[in-house]
Amino acid sequence: MLTQIKGLHHMTSMAAHAQQNSDFFTKTMGLRRVKKTVNFDDPEVYHLYYGDEVGTPGSVMTYFPFPHIAPGRQGTGEVGETYFAIPKGSLGFWKERFIAHDVTGLSESEVFGEKRLRFDGPDRDGFSLIEVDGDSRIGWTNGGIAAAEAIQGFHGASLRLQDTATTSELLGFMGYQKVDTQGNHTRFAIPGGNGADFIDLEEVPTASRARPGAGSVHHIAFAVENRAAQLEVRKALMDTGYNVTPVIDRDYFWAIYFRTPGGVLFEIATNEPGFDRDEDTAHLGEALKLPTRYEQHRAQIEQLLEPIKD
């Protein structure tokens, strides 16, 4: 069993409109845009990162806004819902705020003993705010959101699968422990994690496969402290039979990827070097930062990208 994984690192999804995406996460949800860069494989597409003040691992939601992308179709083999942690007692604040911002899909429930508010993102992404007691992480306070209500980071995520058995085994190998079952949802938690500690497996054996598109999660990333820990995880996964990519430099972290038995793409990402490696903390996410290999094409890339107004 692995011990290097410390919870979630980030989630990366796809969107249809860069400006709409930025407005939703910064103005409606009150997160900080901590990086404005481009897709490593398609520099004509933004890669936008949102999180707490410094983009702490376990707080960062990222997006590829592909112009003219078709909407995704929900189904199995994907992340079904992303959970954000909010301070206990703040659910009412968020419900009122979301109503005022015309957020759709609002519904309240209690699952695994936690009060939650489900809502849709701008591309019908599936999200929930979950009240968490005793979470010491400090959220980004912005736009009328005080520390008593601010999103503290991820709480976890759910994976929607036709069969959960092999993914349950994988999570156990990754260091997660089964903690509860409610209906067709089974909850796993990472001991001593970073706060973004939970993965829920939703078993829906008769559902059709998801079709990726706007609103779909591209991959879910798990955090390790450094490159040495990442290499240990990579070797262990490969020894177990998983086809894992080589280590890839993503500028703000190093990454490896592998496809899970249920079809979800997993990433293992390092906490180092962080989002302040090329920007001062006070100005994170303001300037367009390009991977080194694209810097010589900056003028052309900036002409192709839709300007984003803050």
Side-chain angles (χ1 to χ4, degrees):
M1 184 184 72
L2 298 173
T3 59
Q4 298 88 344
I5 293 170
K6 302 303 179 184
L8 294 183
H9 186 283
H10 67 270
M11 304 278 291
T12 295
S13 294
M14 295 176 285
H17 304 285
Q19 184 69 62
Q20 180 188 51
N21 183 262
S22 183
D23 286 347
F24 182 81
F25 283 95
T26 61
K27 297 177 181 178
T28 300
M29 293 187 66
L31 299 178
R32 186 182 193 188
R33 194 177 69 216
V34 295
K35 195 62 59 180
K36 180 170 64 172
T37 183
V38 296
N39 186 316
F40 268 82
D41 301 315
D42 186 354
E44 298 179 14
V45 174
Y46 280 114
H47 194 176
L48 305 175
Y49 293 74
Y50 312 97
D52 63 10
E53 181 181 11
V54 297
T56 304
S59 77
V60 182
M61 190 78 210
T62 98
Y63 272 88
F64 301 131
F66 288 98
H68 314 300
I69 189 175
R73 183 187 66 203
Q74 294 182 351
T76 61
E78 68 173 355
V79 174
E81 204 167 284
T82 301
Y83 309 146
F84 293 94
I86 56 173
K88 192 171 181 63
S90 63
L91 209 64
F93 167 88
W94 282 102
K95 184 176 182 180
E96 291 182 9
R97 183 179 178 88
F98 284 168
I99 290 172
H101 282 81
D102 298 319
V103 175
T104 62
L106 298 179
S107 64
E108 293 183 70
S109 62
E110 186 167 316
V111 184
F112 295 120
E114 300 168 335
K115 293 181 179 180
R116 64 176 63 189
L117 176 65
R118 196 206 172 279
F119 62 100
D120 292 336
D123 291 292
R124 297 184 61 81
D125 327 42
F127 296 118
S128 281
L129 297 181
I130 296 180
E131 288 193 346
V132 179
D133 193 14
D135 191 328
S136 62
R137 294 177 294 172
I138 299 173
W140 177 246
T141 54
N142 178 52
I145 300 173
E149 297 93 30
I151 292 171
Q152 296 162 294
F154 294 127
H155 188 54
S158 68
L159 310 183
R160 189 181 297 119
L161 307 169
Q162 289 183 331
D163 186 341
T164 61
T166 52
T167 303
S168 296
E169 292 179 6
L170 171 60
L171 289 176
F173 180 70
M174 292 170 61
Y176 281 79
Q177 298 178 1
K178 180 179 175 180
V179 294
D180 204 356
T181 299
Q182 186 169 326
N184 65 334
H185 288 75
T186 302
R187 168 155 286 191
F188 293 80
I190 197 81
N194 59 12
D197 298 339
F198 296 98
I199 298 293
D200 297 342
L201 301 185
E202 178 188 4
E203 187 166 82
V204 280
T206 61
S208 59
R209 296 282 293 185
R211 183 187 66 204
S216 301
V217 174
H218 184 272
H219 61 265
I220 177 172
F222 298 83
V224 292
E225 188 61 35
N226 52 42
R227 296 182 71 186
Q230 184 183 62
L231 289 174
E232 293 170 355
V233 172
R234 182 175 187 270
K235 183 180 185 302
L237 288 168
M238 293 183 70
D239 289 346
T240 309
Y242 286 95
N243 184 18
V244 187
T245 68
V247 176
I248 302 172
D249 183 357
R250 295 303 194 195
D251 282 353
Y252 312 106
F253 47 88
W254 282 271
I256 57 175
Y257 303 86
F258 66 102
R259 186 72 63 177
T260 67
V264 182
L265 183 61
F266 276 13
E267 175 184 346
I268 309 296
T270 62
N271 290 347
E272 58 181 7
F275 293 100
D276 60 354
R277 67 172 295 273
D278 59 0
E279 285 184 298
D280 183 84
T281 299
H283 298 286
L284 289 177
E286 295 178 7
L288 176 66
K289 311 303 292 187
L290 296 179
T292 302
R293 69 175 182 263
Y294 294 133
E295 192 59 54
Q296 61 182 321
H297 305 295
R298 173 175 287 274
Q300 180 183 1
I301 290 171
E302 288 181 339
Q303 283 186 336
L304 293 170
L305 292 170
E306 167 198 347
I308 298 176
K309 300 177 182 179
D310 294 327

